[in-house]
Amino acid sequence: MELDTVVWYNVSNTFTMTAQLTIQIVGWNSSSVLAQTLPALHVVPLADVIIRYIDNHSTDDSIATVRKLLPRAQVVALPRNLGFAQGHNEGFIRCTTPYVLTCDPDVTLHWPGVQVLIQALEGDPTLGAVQGKLLRQEIINNKSMIDSAGIVLTYALNGKERGAFEEDKGQFATRATITATTGACSLYRLQALKQVAHGRNEFYDRDFFAYKEDVDLGWRLQRAGWKVHYVPVLIGHHARTLGRRGIFNWGSRPRLIYRRLQSPRTRYSLRNWIWMIAKNATPMTIFQYSPAIIGRGLVFLGLSLLYPSLFKIWPEVISGLPRMNRKRREGVLKQI
């Protein structure tokens, strides 16, 4: 989807014909974290990498922060908040490099690790996406904590970050096949993205807006025959705002649970979980994991009856299922 009112700043480095990688950051009112993470990108070689910041119509000084601290970066200003998924799509559409790295504005990249990921893609043309190890920015009790070592599916066919909230003891020291790479820091092969896109330009599913679009994309890549791997190398530190809180990470007090249920994140995650199952799981897979799927669904349905703000998402879930089924059929036809 092209937007006529997109504003570009500093597009002069688009003539860099030798660039192999685009680092792509999507932000929304992210000025404070960008001020902490952008300096790490000064070590990235100008001749090899295009850096692009896509702003989702921020009301703070995010764009000014990027132009001040990283003047070499392309800046794309969107006319409204299109969400994480479509924000990145607007960048993917414009990519001219064979590889593209998605990077959250609160991720401080470790460039040597990114180079290892690039080597992995160059060494195996069947790899569609790779991810290294992300650590939490915060040090807890003098211990380094894992943020993500790749995404795998649970028994309820929900995405789960491997190692999240665990102390880093070197437990993810071997290369592994994973379901998906985390959108916070994923390296994709552009050719693979184009093959699994809905239509021509919908790489992440824009209907998802935010949350689980990375799981859906990884699942689609694997369905199309691409491999998705975790490579045991440090790629950065993530200053994630959400942390473990009580049982099931939902908090130990009713007030905290209520606040979590009120969050748009919870509504989007519930909706997108159902949508990505509809798009990607085979009938046999759904049957095999149906007890966990039904159990999780019933828990959320019960919570929806107690918390009306969560209940509102169910009509949207149902009305969107025909679109998900259409995208599923289109994906199957592209693979024939």
Side-chain angles (χ1 to χ4, degrees):
M1 180 178 67
E2 291 288 344
L3 298 176
D4 294 335
T5 53
V6 167
V7 178
W8 280 73
Y9 301 95
N10 190 23
V11 296
S12 60
N13 59 1
T14 56
F15 65 82
T16 306
M17 301 301 294
T18 60
Q20 293 295 300
L21 172 69
T22 298
I23 296 175
Q24 190 163 279
I25 304 168
V26 170
W28 178 66
N29 293 331
S30 306
S31 178
S32 60
V33 292
L34 286 168
Q36 301 173 42
T37 59
L38 289 179
L41 295 177
H42 285 287
V43 302
V44 176
L46 180 63
D48 300 328
V49 181
I50 294 172
I51 300 175
R52 177 180 298 127
Y53 172 71
I54 301 168
D55 188 78
N56 254 324
H57 200 58
S58 296
T59 56
D60 67 359
D61 57 350
S62 292
I63 290 178
T65 299
V66 174
R67 297 184 71 187
K68 176 182 178 181
L69 297 181
L70 199 66
R72 60 171 285 193
Q74 296 177 353
V75 176
V76 182
L78 301 178
R80 60 186 182 279
N81 184 358
L82 300 179
F84 179 90
Q86 186 58 28
H88 271 299
N89 286 343
E90 291 297 326
F92 292 148
I93 292 168
R94 295 166 170 82
C95 274
T96 58
T97 58
Y99 312 122
V100 55
L101 180 79
T102 61
C103 184
D104 275 4
D106 57 355
V107 168
T108 302
L109 276 181
H110 183 63
W111 176 242
V114 176
Q115 291 177 295
V116 173
L117 295 188
I118 294 172
Q119 292 169 1
L121 287 181
E122 290 179 335
D124 186 351
T126 67
L127 267 177
V130 288
Q131 174 190 333
K133 179 167 61 179
L134 267 181
L135 296 178
R136 296 292 295 267
Q137 186 70 51
E138 303 84 356
I139 301 296
I140 302 176
N141 297 326
N142 295 317
K143 299 175 182 178
S144 294
M145 310 300 289
I146 296 172
D147 184 79
S148 174
I151 297 175
V152 293
L153 290 179
T154 68
Y155 287 115
L157 301 185
N158 187 35
K160 175 185 177 182
E161 304 275 8
R162 294 197 312 160
F165 313 110
E166 295 178 12
E167 180 185 354
D168 181 20
K169 298 180 179 179
Q171 63 267 52
F172 295 102
T174 58
R175 190 159 172 164
T177 296
I178 53 179
T179 301
T181 52
T182 177
C185 197
S186 290
L187 182 62
Y188 294 108
R189 187 186 303 274
L190 187 62
Q191 176 190 355
L193 294 183
K194 289 181 177 179
Q195 181 180 338
V196 302
H198 300 305
R200 292 182 57 191
N201 297 327
E202 192 179 355
F203 307 93
Y204 282 136
D205 191 322
R206 63 171 173 251
D207 285 319
F208 281 36
F209 190 80
Y211 306 115
K212 302 194 188 303
E213 68 291 309
D214 48 4
V215 190
D216 170 67
L217 178 54
W219 206 339
R220 282 189 280 132
L221 285 168
Q222 291 193 327
R223 286 174 52 214
W226 293 96
K227 293 189 294 188
V228 181
H229 280 185
Y230 163 79
V231 178
V233 61
L234 177 66
I235 54 171
H237 291 80
H238 194 185
R240 191 187 294 264
T241 55
L242 292 175
R244 170 170 281 183
R245 299 186 295 272
I247 189 167
F248 303 125
N249 302 327
W250 276 66
S252 56
R253 290 178 293 176
R255 186 173 68 176
L256 294 179
I257 296 175
Y258 177 74
R259 286 170 56 186
R260 185 69 178 264
L261 289 168
Q262 295 287 106
S263 168
R265 175 191 175 98
T266 301
R267 298 195 295 274
Y268 290 147
S269 293
L270 170 59
R271 179 195 66 185
N272 296 347
W273 165 62
I274 297 173
W275 281 356
M276 74 176 184
I277 291 175
K279 287 177 61 182
N280 297 290
T282 65
M284 181 58 67
T285 301
I286 294 174
F287 176 77
Q288 181 180 358
Y289 294 99
S290 59
I293 296 171
I294 293 172
R296 189 171 193 266
L298 288 175
V299 168
F300 275 104
L301 183 59
L303 290 171
S304 300
L305 297 175
L306 295 174
Y307 301 96
S309 63
L310 185 59
F311 187 81
K312 295 175 183 178
I313 201 66
W314 289 101
E316 187 175 344
V317 169
I318 295 170
S319 65
L321 286 176
R323 292 197 307 278
M324 299 304 114
N325 288 329
R326 183 178 67 251
K327 290 178 179 181
R328 179 192 182 98
R329 291 194 300 270
E330 290 172 352
V332 171
L333 290 175
K334 288 180 70 173
Q335 296 170 35
I336 296 177

